[in-house]
Amino acid sequence: MLRSHRRLEGAPLHQSDEARDLIYHFFTDAYHLKDWLRHDPDLALSRTEQQALESHISGTVALAWCADVCNGIKHMDLTPGRERIPGKPAKLTSQNVSIMLGSGGTYSWDVTFDGQKYDVHRLADEIVREWTAWLQAQGYLQ
């Protein structure tokens, strides 16, 4: 997940296909970290610990939105029965270009949740912070 985050941070977002691939890769890696944790034989999470992990994801805005984006990429729809934050699902919705005469342009991508737009980079940073805090709280990171 951290490698995907670093790639996304340094990405030239003006190349739509490349940028979309990097964004999708980050959100998929970030969400699937929970699967890697659940199936890591060294951790051997109990059923209760696995349920607590799922509840943490569903109850943490950035991680829940990450799950929405990832499931939307993979399935074109949300996984039925998964706990969600109330509101319309989060999804990658737009690429934005701001042109400034004489100094080039800036590019950004948005995730939209319940009608509000959020910058992909800011959301990615928050996802990394949330995972880092959870992993530290569990004693998996120093």
Side-chain angles (χ1 to χ4, degrees):
M1 175 188 71
L2 294 178
R3 279 193 310 266
S4 294
H5 186 246
R6 280 191 301 273
R7 286 183 199 119
L8 180 59
E9 284 179 320
L13 296 184
H14 61 281
Q15 298 173 352
S16 294
D17 293 340
E18 287 293 317
R20 189 176 303 271
D21 288 348
L22 290 167
I23 292 164
Y24 284 175
H25 200 286
F26 169 76
F27 280 93
T28 301
D29 283 354
Y31 181 57
H32 285 139
L33 179 55
K34 69 140 181 148
D35 292 327
W36 300 328
L37 292 167
R38 288 178 58 212
H39 297 288
D40 185 333
D42 292 333
L43 296 179
L45 297 180
S46 69
R47 187 152 185 80
T48 302
E49 290 169 321
Q50 290 180 28
Q51 289 170 339
L53 174 57
E54 289 291 342
S55 293
H56 177 69
I57 291 168
S58 297
T60 305
V61 173
L63 297 180
W65 292 356
C66 179
D68 285 354
V69 172
C70 179
N71 282 323
I73 293 165
K74 184 176 178 184
H75 304 292
M76 294 297 291
D77 203 356
L78 295 182
T79 303
R82 188 175 76 70
E83 282 183 57
R84 296 195 54 260
I85 291 193
K88 294 180 181 176
K91 59 184 174 181
L92 185 65
T93 54
S94 60
Q95 177 185 17
N96 307 296
V97 180
S98 299
I99 305 295
M100 289 158 268
L101 296 175
S103 62
T106 60
Y107 300 83
S108 63
W109 288 76
D110 293 324
V111 167
T112 300
F113 175 76
D114 214 19
Q116 296 292 321
K117 290 186 178 192
Y118 300 88
D119 179 74
V120 162
H121 282 103
R122 287 189 181 139
L123 180 55
D125 292 346
E126 182 62 22
I127 289 165
V128 169
R129 277 192 296 276
E130 290 292 348
W131 268 124
T132 300
W134 186 86
L135 290 165
Q136 287 174 335
Q138 304 305 309
Y140 300 142
L141 285 178
Q142 310 300 353

